[in-house]
């Protein structure tokens, strides 16, 4: 199983991440060809080799056609998008792709809903679509919490511009071209000081960066570097792609890539190091519990309470409200309580960072006087989404793999329901047709 380890001692941004992937062997021209499936225009891809603090690596940039730069080693070109729209480009005084560093007065704003449509309606692979949308949703949820808006209504300002869309989708394409490796990382390190963003002057970490990492229960520590090291895009990549955080153990590095930033930091090189290897034996990495298998692992919070006096309608309402609030799962189980009274065991599964929020929801919305809480480790099949053609149309199928072998294949309900409605046939007819069409030819 291919494994990618990100050394975050100097932080992470979208452009540094892609630069590191290219240094590991991702072909820049293949990356550009895949990005063309987005059908957005008005940008150039600039990929060049360079040095930071005497470390050789790859500098990746997305420049708008209106910007003028010297030709690098590689230069991909696209025309204007929809009648010469202006979107902010990279601020070259800044080391990363930080959305708050852009300063163009006519920023091309997009809502999360529009960006999701742009990605899902493209010809990109199902895996790239799913990962890209998840990363943008991660940012939208964080920005929504910061500004008090639902994720769908969040205007991404500079993050919605062409360069940041290319950074996020390009990062997912790069991982796919690298063979969809398992992604691990070191602990997250951030700098100190202040940043100027679209909403004013804020202390580092940026509000969205802190919200993104906090929502996923990812710990962050600050160092004495007087600059921003982790951008919101970089934080979202970590939140959605990295399985676990910790030091390397028993790693035999087969390839090492360096993604270069722009700024010359004061205390450390502005470089993201990425290590790639093929994990063949138990213990390669830093997750002993994973054993020799390539399953995904994470830790979640389990909240429980016993109820013998709750109205069934209130119980049903709570389940709907908890799921809408982002719970991973909610369910109730019949139990026998003291004095032989029938009751239910109400269980909520959620991210560890959300445990207090859902504990409060249980206390407010049910008849309980207390909530039990513990954490649980999960082992999950590595998931991907593929499209299959049926006589009724295209259906998305969720695939679960262990050690490269397909163990589960489940047609996505919404995909089947949509086709069934269009063809006026039972959902099970489309569902069965999708299973017959899997695997795709």
């Amino acid at each position: 199983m291919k494994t990618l380890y990100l050394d975050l001692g100097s932080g992470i941004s979208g452009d540094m991440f892609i630069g590191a992937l290219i240094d590991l062997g991702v072909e820049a021209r293949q990356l550009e060809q895949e990005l063309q499936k987005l059908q957005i225009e008005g940008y150039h891809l600039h990929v060049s080799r360079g040095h930071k603090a005497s470390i050789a690596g790859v500098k990746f940039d997305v420049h708008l056609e209106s910007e003028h730069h010297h030709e690098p080693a590689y230069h991909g070109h696209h025309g204007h998008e929809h009648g010469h729209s202006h979107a902010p480009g990279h601020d070259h005084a800044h080391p990363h792709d930080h959305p708050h560093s852009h300063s163009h007065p006519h920023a091309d704003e997009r809502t999360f809903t529009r960006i999701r449509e742009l990605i899902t309606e493209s010809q990109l692979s199902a895996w790239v679509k799913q990962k890209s949308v998840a990363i943008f949703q991660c940012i939208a949820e964080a920005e929504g919490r910061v500004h008090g808006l639902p994720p769908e209504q969040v205007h991404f300002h500079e993050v919605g511009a062409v360069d940041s869309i290319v950074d996020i989708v390009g990062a997912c394409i790069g991982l796919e071209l690298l063979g969809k490796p398992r992604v691990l990382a070191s602990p997250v390190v951030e700098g100190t000081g202040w940043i100027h963003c679209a909403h004013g002057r804020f202390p580092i970490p940026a509000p969205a960066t802190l919200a993104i990492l906090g929502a996923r229960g990812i710990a962050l520590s600050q160092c004495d570097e007087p600059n921003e090291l982790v951008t919101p895009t970089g934080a979202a990549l970590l939140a959605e792609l990295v399985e676990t955080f910790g030091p390397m153990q028993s790693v035999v590095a087969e390839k090492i890539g360096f993604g270069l930033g722009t700024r010359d930091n004061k205390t450390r090189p502005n470089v993201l190091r990425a290590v790639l290897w093929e994990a063949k034996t138990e213990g390669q990495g830093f997750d002993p519990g994973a054993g020799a298998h390539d399953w995904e692992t994470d830790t979640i919070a389990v909240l429980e309470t016993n109820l013998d006096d709750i109205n069934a309608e209130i119980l049903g309402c709570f389940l709907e409200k908890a799921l809408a609030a982002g719970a991973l799962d909610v369910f109730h189980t019949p139990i026998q309580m003291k004095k032989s009274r029938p009751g239910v065991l109400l269980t909520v599964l959620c991210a560890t960072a959300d445990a207090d929020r859902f504990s409060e929801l249980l206390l407010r919305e049910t008849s309980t006087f207390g909530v039990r809480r513990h954490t649980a480790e999960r082992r999950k099949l590595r998931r991907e989404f593929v499209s299959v053609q049926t006589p009724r149309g295209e259906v998305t199928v969720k695939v679960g793999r262990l050690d490269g072998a397909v163990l589960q294949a489940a047609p996505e309900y919404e995909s089947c329901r949509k086709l069934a409605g269009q063809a006026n046939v039972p959902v099970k007819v489309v569902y069965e047709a999708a299973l017959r069409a899997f695997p795709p030819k």
Side-chain angles (χ1 to χ4, degrees), residues 368-429:
T368 187
F369 275 73
V371 177
R372 299 183 299 276
R373 169 181 170 179
H374 64 273
T375 58
E377 291 185 357
R378 293 196 299 180
R379 299 293 184 267
K380 302 180 294 182
L381 297 179
R382 296 184 64 84
R383 287 166 288 179
E384 63 179 300
F385 294 84
V386 300
S387 297
V388 298
Q389 287 293 337
T390 75
R392 310 291 180 180
E394 187 176 86
V395 174
T396 300
V397 177
K398 180 167 65 176
V399 180
R401 298 178 183 272
L402 181 64
D403 303 331
V406 175
L407 298 188
Q408 306 290 347
E412 289 288 273
Y413 169 73
E414 288 298 334
S415 181
C416 293
R417 184 187 63 81
K418 180 179 178 181
L419 285 185
Q422 293 172 349
N424 196 26
V425 298
V427 173
K428 69 176 184 179
V429 172

Side-chain angles (χ1 to χ4, degrees), residues 160-284:
V162 171
D163 54 350
S164 292
I165 294 174
V166 171
D167 277 350
I168 289 172
V169 178
C172 298
I173 292 171
L175 279 178
E176 184 175 56
L177 293 175
L178 210 57
K180 302 178 189 174
R182 178 190 186 198
V183 183
L184 314 176
S186 69
V188 183
V189 176
E190 175 62 298
T192 59
W194 296 80
I195 58 166
H196 293 275
C197 62
H199 310 290
R201 189 169 179 260
F202 279 89
I204 295 171
T209 297
L210 199 58
I212 289 167
L213 297 177
R216 296 301 192 273
I218 300 172
L220 176 146
S221 299
Q222 289 184 290
C223 65
D224 57 353
E225 174 61 37
N227 293 306
E228 183 188 42
L229 299 178
V230 180
T231 69
T233 297
L237 291 173
L238 297 177
E240 294 300 325
L241 300 175
V242 176
E243 294 180 18
T244 45
F245 296 82
M248 287 185 281
Q249 291 182 6
S250 304
V251 171
V252 179
E254 296 177 9
K255 291 183 179 180
I256 303 173
F258 296 96
L260 308 182
T262 300
R263 176 189 288 131
D264 292 320
N265 287 335
K266 299 181 182 301
T267 65
R268 61 201 65 214
N270 190 11
V271 172
L272 172 65
R273 179 169 66 178
V275 183
L276 185 68
W277 75 93
E278 189 81 24
K280 300 181 178 68
T281 61
E282 184 172 352
Q284 285 195 318

Side-chain angles (χ1 to χ4, degrees), residues 357-369:
R357 180 163 62 92
F358 283 104
S359 295
E360 180 184 358
L361 190 67
L362 279 162
L363 293 169
R364 290 186 179 278
E365 299 286 341
T366 74
S367 57
T368 187
F369 275 73

Side-chain angles (χ1 to χ4, degrees), residues 73-94:
Y74 170 78
H75 177 196
H77 171 77
H78 294 272
H80 287 290
E81 177 196 9
H82 304 305
H84 194 73
S85 63
H86 289 276
H90 289 262
D91 180 351
H92 292 278
H94 194 280

Side-chain angles (χ1 to χ4, degrees), residues 15-36:
D15 54 296
M16 293 172 71
F17 181 75
I18 296 177
L21 297 185
I22 293 173
D23 204 24
L24 286 172
V26 171
E27 289 288 337
R29 293 194 183 279
Q30 278 187 281
L31 177 65
E32 184 201 16
Q33 289 169 1
E34 287 298 307
L35 283 169
Q36 288 177 357

